[in-house]
Amino acid sequence: MSERSRIGVVFDKARADGRALLVGCMPAGFPTVEGSIAAMKTMIAAGVDVIELEIPYSDPVMDGPVIQRASGIALAGGVRTRDALRIVEEVAATGAPVAAMTYWNPIEQYGVDAFARDLAAAGGTGMVTPDLIPDEADEWLAASDAYGLDRTFLVAPSSTDERLAMTVAHCRGFVYATALMGVTGARAQISQAAPVLVSRVRAVTDLPVGVGLGVGTGAQAAAVAGYADAVIVGSALIRCLLDAPDQESGLSALRAVSAELAEGVRNPTP
Amino acid sequence: MSADALAAPAAQFPDAAGHFGRFGGRFVPEALVAALDELGAAHRAAMADEQFRAEFDALLRDYAGTPSLLYEAHRFSARAGARVLLKREDLNHTGAHKVRNVLGQALLTRRMGKKRVIAETGAGQHGVATATAAALFDLDCVVYMGQVDTERQALNVARMRMLGATVVPVTNGSRTLKDAMNEAMRDWVANVDDTHYLIGTAAGPDPFPRLVRDFVRGIGDEARAQCLELTGALPDAITACVGGGSNALGIFHAFTDDPQVRLYGFEAGGEGVATGRHAASITGGSAGVLHGTRTYVLQDADGQTQESHSISAGLDYPGVGPEHAWLHDTGRASYRPVTDAEAMAAFELLCRTEGIIPAIESAHALAGTLAVAGELAAELGRQPTIVVNLSGRGDKDVHTAGEYFGILDKE
């Protein structure tokens, strides 16, 4: 397996362009399997650089009300893990990197090695694992090495220096810095803890750092782009579809918010 | 599992990272790890601190009313065909074994300098116990409770409010205990600096399973000494109900190194495990990850948690503490389902033979006792002695039981 991850190349280019990447999160199968594919393609067309495809889970403890509702709708619609893999394949065909974001139990039930094999075959770049810490990740470490997938573990403002260094050492592709202590969801103000956390990560790695939790506007995206390599947005995008009366107006709102955020990451606030 | 691990005394488990064999551990957001480490260190230091232990013992004795009685239930024994000794945890303050856990964790909360506790509750028993300890220790208290449960347990909601707690109805997911637990975790991630999550059972990420076990293990320590004094011998079997499993672990632990003492955990079989409408995670579920730990879980093929069903709100949970999963795998304890109907028959029998109204949870242990008494007698060639953990009283269940038996006056 090569040392340089596929997503690393995309980060390199953005860095050369003096901008951050925009990572957009969307649950697989929300509002339907086809609807989620359309949503992700819309996001990419409007300037989202990387898709973080969340595999819906019945008990998403890191997620706020918006993603909970969207995941619930996807599950009620009958979406399966294998559908998520098909969505990865369709969306990755656009050329944009697609990473899976998933709670651990669905992967454990699918089979860790089998999921890694199928995710790689579908063209996925790796996994973001909100409730899997490296301490419990032996199987995933082996499977991700075997299939050349990225591993994005989360770091938090509460992580000790020792844990932060250990966690980052197990990451490949990029590191996910949770900007605040709390669950996902757009907030009026971005946490002051985020820049501090990013600089702590930079002290121990050259890997790109993405910042998530709370970003919802172009101005916020520009501010985060001033110190991070990627701005990760979920709830603000998903809300476009939740709030819309029909698919067409939902995709239209999604296009507009994606474009605003994309403009933000291309014009970092110094 | 290696033969060494099987032979090792249970007291050596979990390992340093909170694993009970292949179960347990920590499946949590990184944001919580520092708090779990802090809690684990505080728990270890407290257990080694004589002053802490003395204070805990004094609270249990002077406030909670322990040691609870071990009562020989003669008339129930005659019906069971066994010498049945009831560990009367129903007589504790707040009416269940749970007071032991909340007092221990409230002491730990104070030791860590935290001012706020949060809890999840199903039937409301753990919520009431937590609100009680919070009042006693002058802590802010928020209890998450599924909206379905706040409606069917309105009296307990009122109790919590009287004690000064804030009750938050949880309206997402299935609006029951598992969703209340999700919501408590979300609160904890956001407020971990000043808040302790006072979890209600021996489940969740390490160190919760071990610390809850340590706070409730007095049940078994007391029962062991009381049984020796009363009968001159150890019992042949211990029986307890298992939802999350704290009362069962609490009474099992003093006996895990006595191989002649059989340990039985009775899960909520609901309408029958074959119907799919049950809460028997060990007998009807499979290994998976839920609420921060690897254990037996009711789940579909994709790992989505399935809803549990039981007439007993306290057992109505789709997971189980990881130590039970391990005791099951090693064979040290046996787990069997008890249906709603079997539990309610035993409930009625205890009411009529002993004048004791048990919690419906505890009625599962009574029904299981009736089921295994004959097997044990046949195996031993004599009348067996069985200690039943009567983990709670039935006041909270009067409405449910009244409806079940059709004895409520019509409006």
Side-chain angles (χ1 to χ4, degrees):
Chain A
M1 198 217 86
S2 75
E3 277 301 298
R4 200 78 188 98
S5 85
R6 270 178 53 206
I7 219 167
V9 177
V10 182
F11 272 104
D12 287 346
K13 178 159 188 323
R15 205 174 267 185
D17 293 345
R19 71 167 181 103
L21 292 181
L22 176 61
V23 178
C25 179
M26 190 60 64
F30 165 72
T32 61
V33 168
E34 295 311 318
S36 66
I37 293 169
M40 291 177 219
K41 288 183 173 173
T42 298
M43 288 156 62
I44 293 164
V48 170
D49 299 292
V50 176
I51 295 292
E52 187 184 287
L53 175 137
E54 181 159 349
I55 297 180
Y57 176 53
S58 52
D59 297 274
V61 296
M62 264 296 279
D63 284 312
V66 170
I67 297 183
Q68 285 175 46
R69 270 176 62 204
S71 298
I73 289 166
L75 288 173
V79 69
R80 305 283 312 267
T81 305
R82 61 173 182 266
D83 297 319
L85 288 164
R86 179 166 77 77
I87 298 168
V88 169
E89 189 163 9
E90 287 231 18
V91 177
T94 63
V98 180
M101 189 276 200
T102 177
Y103 292 90
W104 195 240
N105 198 43
I107 304 309
E108 198 157 288
Q109 301 311 315
Y110 192 96
V112 178
D113 188 80
F115 186 82
R117 177 196 67 210
D118 293 351
L119 179 64
T125 57
M127 274 206 282
V128 181
T129 51
D131 67 348
L132 184 72
I133 54 178
D135 318 53
E136 300 282 355
D138 285 354
E139 255 192 292
W140 167 228
L141 297 179
S144 52
D145 283 346
Y147 299 101
L149 292 170
D150 291 335
R151 299 187 288 255
T152 296
F153 295 105
L154 276 55
V155 294
S158 62
S159 304
T160 60
D161 288 342
E162 190 185 359
R163 278 202 65 82
L164 190 134
M166 182 279 288
T167 303
V168 166
H170 286 92
C171 287
R172 182 164 52 220
F174 69 102
V175 180
Y176 192 131
T178 50
L180 49 82
M181 297 297 286
V183 297
T184 56
R187 286 163 174 86
Q189 284 201 307
I190 295 300
S191 154
Q192 295 307 301
V196 177
L197 179 58
V198 170
S199 63
R200 289 177 63 206
V201 175
R202 295 213 192 282
V204 293
T205 186
D206 293 329
L207 282 177
V209 188
V211 168
L213 298 198
V215 178
T217 67
Q220 289 173 335
V224 173
Y227 57 85
D229 302 301
V231 181
I232 305 169
V233 183
S235 298
L237 296 168
I238 295 163
R239 190 191 297 274
C240 295
L241 301 185
L242 272 178
D243 292 349
D246 55 62
Q247 188 186 22
E248 197 175 326
S249 57
L251 290 178
S252 162
L254 182 63
R255 191 175 299 116
V257 173
S258 298
E260 178 189 332
L261 293 163
E263 178 73 12
V265 300
R266 282 164 177 78
N267 296 281
T269 311
Chain B
M1 172 137 332
S2 74
D4 282 354
L6 284 171
Q12 291 180 10
F13 286 85
D15 69 12
H19 298 111
F20 299 88
R22 65 181 170 132
F23 298 107
R26 285 180 181 174
F27 295 84
V28 292
E30 168 65 22
L32 291 179
V33 171
L36 293 171
D37 282 342
E38 177 192 21
L39 181 60
H43 167 238
R44 256 187 290 270
M47 287 291 124
D49 178 352
E50 273 182 39
Q51 200 183 327
F52 180 94
R53 297 177 71 112
E55 196 173 357
F56 183 46
D57 289 345
L59 268 174
L60 285 177
R61 183 186 64 234
D62 303 333
Y63 183 74
T66 71
S68 60
L69 301 174
L70 187 72
Y71 163 72
E72 180 159 7
H74 291 285
R75 295 193 63 220
F76 187 85
S77 294
R79 299 291 288 273
R83 187 175 186 187
V84 175
L85 310 176
L86 302 178
K87 181 60 176 163
R88 297 290 308 275
E89 288 292 293
D90 59 316
L91 297 177
N92 296 345
H93 180 45
T94 73
H97 71 286
K98 288 180 179 292
V99 70
R100 299 177 186 258
N101 173 38
V102 296
L103 290 175
Q105 288 201 53
L107 276 172
L108 265 191
T109 305
R110 194 177 67 189
R111 189 184 175 97
M112 292 186 292
K114 295 189 173 184
K115 300 285 185 211
R116 178 174 179 265
V117 290
I118 56 172
E120 84 293 340
T121 197
Q125 291 308 102
H126 175 59
V128 170
T130 303
T132 300
L136 182 65
F137 283 77
D138 192 20
L139 301 166
D140 290 334
C141 178
V142 174
V143 178
Y144 291 95
M145 189 168 181
Q147 193 186 37
V148 170
D149 294 327
T150 59
E151 284 163 11
R152 62 184 176 188
Q153 299 287 343
L155 216 52
N156 271 341
V157 173
R159 283 195 183 100
M160 289 183 260
R161 290 184 175 144
M162 279 174 210
L163 292 161
T166 302
V167 179
V168 180
V170 175
T171 56
N172 44 34
S174 59
R175 296 177 291 142
T176 58
L177 178 57
K178 104 182 157 63
D179 307 284
M181 209 155 169
N182 291 339
E183 212 51 34
M185 295 273 264
R186 293 182 185 114
D187 179 314
W188 203 32
V189 173
N191 300 295
V192 69
D193 280 349
D194 71 344
T195 297
H196 172 61
Y197 178 14
L198 208 162
I199 205 164
T201 191
D206 180 70
F208 284 112
R210 67 170 113 189
L211 79 82
V212 172
R213 175 193 76 196
D214 286 350
F215 289 142
V216 296
R217 65 164 295 160
I219 305 169
D221 292 336
E222 293 166 15
R224 197 173 193 283
Q226 289 165 324
C227 184
L228 283 170
E229 192 180 319
L230 184 73
T231 71
L234 290 173
D236 297 303
I238 304 291
T239 59
C241 64
V242 177
S246 66
N247 89 82
L249 275 184
I251 196 163
F252 284 176
H253 240 265
F255 300 95
T256 45
D257 295 337
D258 301 311
Q260 72 274 32
V261 181
R262 294 152 185 82
L263 306 176
Y264 293 99
F266 295 102
E267 299 193 290
E271 296 170 19
V273 171
T275 68
R277 291 179 59 81
H278 61 86
S281 310
I282 294 176
T283 41
S286 55
V289 170
L290 178 64
H291 291 142
T293 192
R294 184 181 283 118
T295 185
Y296 284 99
V297 179
L298 300 183
Q299 58 186 331
D300 69 14
D302 277 2
Q304 308 294 347
T305 312
Q306 288 178 319
E307 265 186 66
S308 55
H309 296 274
S310 171
I311 192 168
S312 151
L315 303 181
D316 200 352
Y317 177 66
V320 64
E323 189 162 0
H324 283 296
W326 178 75
L327 287 171
H328 169 73
D329 270 20
T330 61
R332 179 61 191 94
S334 305
Y335 296 85
R336 299 184 187 186
V338 164
T339 63
D340 290 349
E342 290 165 338
M344 294 313 288
F347 176 100
E348 185 175 36
L349 183 62
L350 192 73
C351 290
R352 300 298 175 87
T353 55
E354 299 291 344
I356 297 170
I357 301 177
I360 297 177
E361 290 80 3
S362 315
H364 286 69
L366 294 164
T369 302
L370 296 171
V372 299
E375 293 172 27
L376 277 173
E379 185 186 329
L380 298 167
R382 59 172 168 77
Q383 173 175 267
T385 300
I386 303 176
V387 173
V388 183
N389 194 6
L390 198 70
S391 55
R393 67 180 179 223
D395 304 38
K396 67 185 177 59
D397 294 319
V398 165
H399 188 75
T400 305
E403 281 196 334
Y404 182 88
F405 293 117
I407 55 173
L408 300 178
D409 288 332
K410 299 279 182 287
E411 289 284 321

